[in-house]
């Protein structure tokens, strides 16, 4: 009987089966973790795409020219028309921010019912109702006035930042001669 106990051949097959089962279990757990991570990544990617589509679909655009309003020596206001891009979602203009900047100053203009220094306003609504929600086929004429006038030959930037959607930038230069009304997009 002692001879039988010293033989280890019978245990080799059993050990191999245990090792094989251990590898299968480890591989199953690993694949479950990898698949779970893949599903998580796919879900996050879908959320990012959905967010990007919603932001892109709520874009607005400048319709027509951008006009500068001056007093003979400096630019005091900018006036332009906004509308939605094709298929865009409605934008609440009261939540839209306008940022006026030059090489020396940056100023955030506040929404107001009438345009005055340091504010911006919707001065005319075309094809629309009485609310401040920019919707399909509506056009809002915007007047933006910085706190201080902008001198001749000065570069300025006016950024229109809706609460959702892409920012629009008007990047222009005050002409050498400031007239009461000037087309800045020439």
């Amino acid at each position: 009987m002692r001879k039988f106990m010293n033989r280890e051949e019978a245990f080799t097959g059993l050990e191999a089966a245990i090792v094989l089962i251990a590898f299968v279990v480890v591989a199953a757990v690993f694949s479950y973790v990898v698949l779970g991570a893949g599903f998580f990544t796919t879900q996050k990617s879908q959320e990012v795409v959905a967010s990007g589509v919603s932001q892109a679909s709520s874009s607005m655009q400048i319709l027509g020219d951008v006009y500068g309003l001056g007093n003979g020596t400096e630019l005091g206001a900018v006036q332009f028309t906004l509308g939605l891009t094709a298929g865009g979602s409605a934008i609440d203009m009261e939540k839209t921010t306008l940022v006026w900047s030059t090489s020396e100053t940056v100023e955030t203009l506040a929404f107001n019912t009438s345009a005055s220094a340091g504010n911006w306003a919707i001065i005319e609504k075309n094809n629309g109702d009485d609310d401040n929600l920019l919707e399909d086929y509506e056009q809002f004429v915007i007047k933006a006035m910085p706190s201080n006038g902008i001198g001749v030959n000065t570069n300025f930037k006016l950024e229109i930042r809706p609460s959702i959607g892409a920012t629009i930038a008007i990047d222009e230069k005050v002409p050498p001669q400031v007239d009461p009304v000037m087309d800045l997009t020439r």
Side-chain angles (χ1 to χ4, degrees):
M1 200 100 149
R2 263 187 166 196
K3 274 185 161 179
F4 182 62
M5 294 194 108
N6 286 338
R7 298 183 75 192
E8 298 179 8
E9 294 171 7
F11 294 106
T12 308
L14 183 60
E15 288 174 350
I18 291 172
V19 169
L20 181 63
I21 291 171
F23 279 130
V24 169
V25 169
V26 168
V29 169
F30 181 70
S31 65
Y32 176 77
V33 170
V34 169
L35 285 174
F39 290 140
F40 177 76
T41 303
T42 302
Q43 181 183 9
K44 286 297 179 187
S45 299
Q46 288 174 344
E47 289 173 10
V48 168
V49 168
S51 173
V53 167
S54 72
Q55 289 207 7
S57 68
S58 63
S59 295
M60 56 187 158
Q61 63 184 349
I62 296 175
L63 306 172
D65 294 329
V66 176
Y67 296 98
L69 308 175
N71 61 8
T73 59
E74 59 187 13
L75 179 75
V78 171
Q79 186 171 311
F80 54 92
T81 304
L82 283 178
L84 290 179
T85 57
S89 302
I91 296 174
D92 186 356
M93 294 303 293
E94 291 182 16
K95 294 180 180 175
T96 299
T97 305
L98 270 66
V99 178
W100 188 289
S101 60
T102 65
S103 60
E104 294 141 11
T105 62
V106 175
E107 178 181 10
T108 301
L109 305 179
F111 174 75
N112 202 342
T113 54
S114 63
S116 59
N119 294 314
W120 70 274
I122 301 169
I123 60 171
E124 186 179 335
K125 296 177 184 177
N126 300 317
N127 303 327
D129 44 25
D130 291 334
D131 62 11
N132 291 327
L133 198 62
L134 183 60
E135 299 166 310
D136 283 337
Y137 309 110
E138 289 183 342
Q139 297 176 0
F140 289 175
V141 178
I142 307 295
K143 185 174 183 181
M145 299 180 70
S147 295
N148 300 312
I150 309 296
V152 296
N153 295 322
T154 303
N155 292 322
F156 71 90
K157 187 177 208 176
L158 179 63
E159 293 181 16
I160 304 135
R161 299 177 179 173
S163 59
I164 295 176
T167 298
I168 301 173
I170 298 171
D171 198 357
E172 298 294 338
K173 183 176 185 176
V174 180
Q177 178 181 338
V178 179
D179 296 325
V181 178
M182 306 164 287
D183 186 354
L184 297 175
T185 53
R186 288 187 285 164

